[in-house]
Amino acid sequence: MFFAIPLANKPTWHAPPWMTVLIIVINMLVYWGWQAPEERAVARSAEHYALSGLAELEVPHYIRHLERQVQQAPEGKPHLEMVESLWKGRKDAWVYQDMWHEQRFREVLLAGQVIRENDPQHAEWRRLRSQLAPHEPQPFTTRWAQYFDRGFTDRPETLLTATFLHGSVGHLLGNMVFLFLFGFTLEMALGSRLYLLLYLLCGVGASAVSLWSHAGTATYGLGASGAIAGLMAMYVVMYKLRRIQFFYMLFFYFNYAKWPALMMLPVYMAHELLQQWLGGQGVDYMAHFGGLLSGALLMALLMTLKKLDAPANLIPTVAAPLSGNEARARASIQRALRLTDELDYAAANQAWHSAARLRPRDPEVLEPWFEVAQHFPASDEFHTAAKLLLTLPDTDHAARKRTHAHFHTYLKLAKPGLRLSANTLVHLIPVFVKLHAWDDAQRLAGLLQRNTSVHPKWPDTLTFLVNGLTQNNQWEAAMGWLPALQAHAPTAPVTQLLAKQK
């Protein structure tokens, strides 16, 4: 299982995503207003069916219908075996609920084309059917879902209506979460009306690809996931090669990463095709693929017809006079973003450097600058960006994790080597101690110890490190620092403790 969601933007009620919310509300209303009541009504009808005697007349015909389907499409064999098992166990109510969703069979059954007038059982069947009819609800899901054994011209409206139906509460809620995560950014960039139009077109495109892929199979499709996949594709095409922070999960492993947005399109597509090839049950991966393809093509077409800027932030600019420095900083940031999108990394590096001079403690400036400067790991700009990023305030655990990740990137790429001042080292060592990153904390402490002059904060930094080691039962490592403690912090309690242990 794999998914990746962007964390680049956050919604704001200063410019609320009303159309996204409206689409979510409509999906909720369709499910809770029609589908869920229908499911309960079908369950009640199934109880009447189990007592009616109709099962003995109809189920054998239903099983033969499924056998004919398996001859044409062998992938339906597990379904047939399930129904046969239910029938042998005389779980007639469950067989009825399964039969309810086989629309083609119900159509010919109720039309009198299964148990015909010349059949000796026809009169009895007709009588029992007339008694059951008042208990059966009017079909809703089967009326508006997309059946793959029908062509494009048979009920074409289901290409769209199926995208507003869901199979369960979990199916519905999962889709609505992803709809909101991708939808609000696109609505901000496109405007409500154009966003709605593209969402609906993505849904139709997803349904069309799904119908083409599964043509002739005796199954049906429903759900908003194809249209939402279209939003995902539009999102990454809109941001192009701008690096976006994603939260991703691969099986049981999850993490954060910054990737060029457009890189995710082939990843998303390959994932859906792989899952389809592996034969995932119960998920229409080809609808997802069709949505991705539709969304990518629609956004690419739109961006060729009109200039479209991906929102850098959903928080609107406060309409107040800007200081000269702030105006210059914003201009530098916009120029740096544009140059980064154009892959002109050398010019972008200088533009980010200019912005950092005006906002030297702003991670929203320092992080993209550090990423661009990685293309020039021997440059002064790369080492400066790293220094500023690594000395940002130690505010919380998340900030420490980011600092640690940036340090390892710097450690891996820096040429000809690290350029960390003593001030930077005394800032980083406590950060790594709090993370229990003992190897990195001791590595930096070793660098600081070898400094030509003793830093004023070295005794406090050293005792903080060794206290952390002892409190986490790293006694052997702590004992290795005893000579340094005796030289620079001889009266510290941890020094006396280790001396006694020795």
Side-chain angles (χ1 to χ4, degrees), residues 399-443:
R400 293 178 205 122
K401 292 284 287 184
R402 289 193 296 271
T403 298
H404 193 229
H406 295 322
F407 169 74
H408 273 277
T409 301
Y410 180 56
L411 181 66
K412 178 181 178 182
L413 298 179
K415 294 182 180 179
L418 302 181
R419 296 186 201 171
L420 297 176
S421 68
N423 286 332
T424 303
L425 293 174
V426 297
H427 173 81
L428 285 176
I429 292 169
V431 171
F432 294 166
V433 169
K434 293 174 187 176
L435 287 173
H436 293 181
W438 305 115
D439 291 343
D440 291 326
Q442 293 187 86
R443 181 205 303 253

Side-chain angles (χ1 to χ4, degrees), residues 179-200:
L179 171 56
F180 187 78
L181 289 172
F182 287 93
F184 73 82
T185 300
L186 287 162
E187 183 177 348
M188 182 71 180
L190 302 173
S192 298
R193 293 182 180 180
L194 181 57
Y195 163 74
L196 175 61
L197 174 63
L198 294 180
Y199 175 83
L200 297 177

Side-chain angles (χ1 to χ4, degrees), residues 96-392:
Y96 172 84
Q97 293 186 60
D98 185 84
M99 195 188 307
W100 177 268
H101 295 287
E102 284 287 329
Q103 189 185 45
R104 277 296 178 88
F105 179 77
R106 276 185 57 85
E107 286 179 357
V108 295
L109 174 69
L110 298 181
Q113 298 175 18
V114 174
I115 303 176
R116 300 176 181 273
E117 291 185 1
N118 59 355
D119 193 308
Q121 298 175 320
H122 182 268
E124 177 66 6
W125 171 77
R126 180 65 70 185
R127 183 182 69 81
L128 295 176
R129 261 289 157 190
S130 64
Q131 293 176 355
L132 180 67
H135 301 286
E136 289 191 312
Q138 287 296 316
F140 180 82
T141 299
T142 55
R143 167 65 184 87
W144 300 109
Q146 181 187 28
Y147 280 79
F148 299 134
D149 59 352
R150 301 175 184 270
F152 282 96
T153 58
D154 188 355
R155 298 199 307 162
E157 69 277 8
T158 60
L159 292 172
L160 180 60
T161 59
T163 66
F164 289 91
L165 302 174
H166 291 86
S168 66
V169 175
H171 185 205
L172 171 69
L173 296 181
N175 276 346
M176 295 306 98
V177 168
F178 278 86
L179 171 56
F180 187 78
L181 289 172
F182 287 93
F184 73 82
T185 300
L186 287 162
E187 183 177 348
M188 182 71 180
L190 302 173
S192 298
R193 293 182 180 180
L194 181 57
Y195 163 74
L196 175 61
L197 174 63
L198 294 180
Y199 175 83
L200 297 177
L201 289 175
C202 285
V204 171
S207 296
V209 171
S210 178
L211 179 58
W212 167 78
S213 174
H214 302 297
T217 60
T219 53
Y220 64 96
L222 47 75
S225 55
I228 295 166
L231 297 184
M232 295 163 64
M234 287 196 289
Y235 181 96
V236 298
V237 171
M238 180 176 67
Y239 275 103
K240 296 179 288 188
L241 294 175
R242 188 181 304 177
R243 286 180 174 267
I244 300 296
Q245 187 173 24
F246 287 87
F247 170 79
Y248 68 93
M249 180 173 180
L250 180 62
F251 296 104
F252 299 105
Y253 177 78
F254 57 89
N255 207 335
Y256 299 89
K258 275 196 172 182
W259 299 312
L262 193 57
M263 185 189 82
M264 293 307 301
L265 182 59
V267 173
Y268 287 144
M269 287 184 161
H271 174 263
E272 302 307 326
L273 291 176
L274 176 62
Q275 293 297 320
Q276 177 68 21
W277 179 71
L278 292 174
Q281 296 295 318
V283 179
D284 190 353
Y285 292 105
M286 288 308 295
H288 300 175
F289 181 82
L292 290 167
L293 183 62
S294 301
L297 293 175
L298 286 168
M299 181 57 75
L301 176 63
L302 180 63
M303 295 181 77
T304 61
L305 297 177
K306 61 180 289 188
K307 180 176 175 56
L308 182 67
D309 293 321
N313 198 321
L314 289 182
I315 305 298
T317 303
V318 178
L322 299 176
S323 66
N325 283 347
E326 181 60 18
R328 287 193 292 274
R330 294 193 182 191
S332 294
I333 291 170
Q334 290 301 317
R335 181 169 180 269
L337 289 171
R338 178 176 56 79
L339 291 168
T340 303
D341 283 345
E342 294 172 357
L343 304 184
D344 189 350
Y345 294 125
N349 191 17
Q350 297 303 317
W352 282 119
H353 194 180
S354 299
R357 290 193 188 99
L358 298 166
R359 291 189 184 175
R361 310 301 288 168
D362 185 353
E364 298 297 325
V365 172
L366 299 180
E367 288 188 348
W369 179 26
F370 183 61
E371 291 175 6
V372 169
Q374 290 172 26
H375 294 275
F376 313 98
S379 67
D380 291 338
E381 287 81 6
F382 177 65
H383 292 280
T384 302
K387 173 190 172 184
L388 292 174
L389 201 53
L390 294 174
T391 54
L392 285 174

Side-chain angles (χ1 to χ4, degrees), residues 67-85:
E67 288 172 344
R68 289 191 295 271
Q69 288 186 340
V70 169
Q71 291 174 359
Q72 299 176 355
E75 63 270 16
K77 187 175 181 180
H79 180 211
L80 169 62
E81 292 173 346
M82 180 197 72
V83 173
E84 288 176 332
S85 175

